[in-house]
Amino acid sequence: ERIRDSVSRLELTRINMANPPRITVSIGTATFPEHGKDLRELIGAADRALYEAKGSGRNRVCGPTACSQPDGEVPEQVKGA
């Protein structure tokens, strides 16, 4: 969440534009051994969480069981968890 928040606060001052683009990130997380018993399962869980973050509005951090809101509010349950 700290990484997502830091990226969303970046100001692109070197771009010569009246309205520089806003940059956001979507992040999928997973932890060992809770979300995978080996590297393949762990990466699979993080990958599914990343696609959930993108699909639920982007600019979010999702784990296998919950997603953060872009404003850091209380997490919502991830579909299919």
Side-chain angles (χ1 to χ4, degrees), residues 13-47:
T13 57
R14 294 185 182 242
I15 295 178
N16 191 15
M17 300 173 75
N19 294 310
R22 182 172 172 240
I23 296 179
T24 62
V25 295
S26 298
I27 300 172
T29 65
T31 57
F32 177 81
E34 294 83 5
H35 306 120
K37 66 179 187 268
D38 58 32
L39 183 59
R40 184 180 205 162
E41 286 183 5
L42 195 60
I43 290 173
D47 191 51

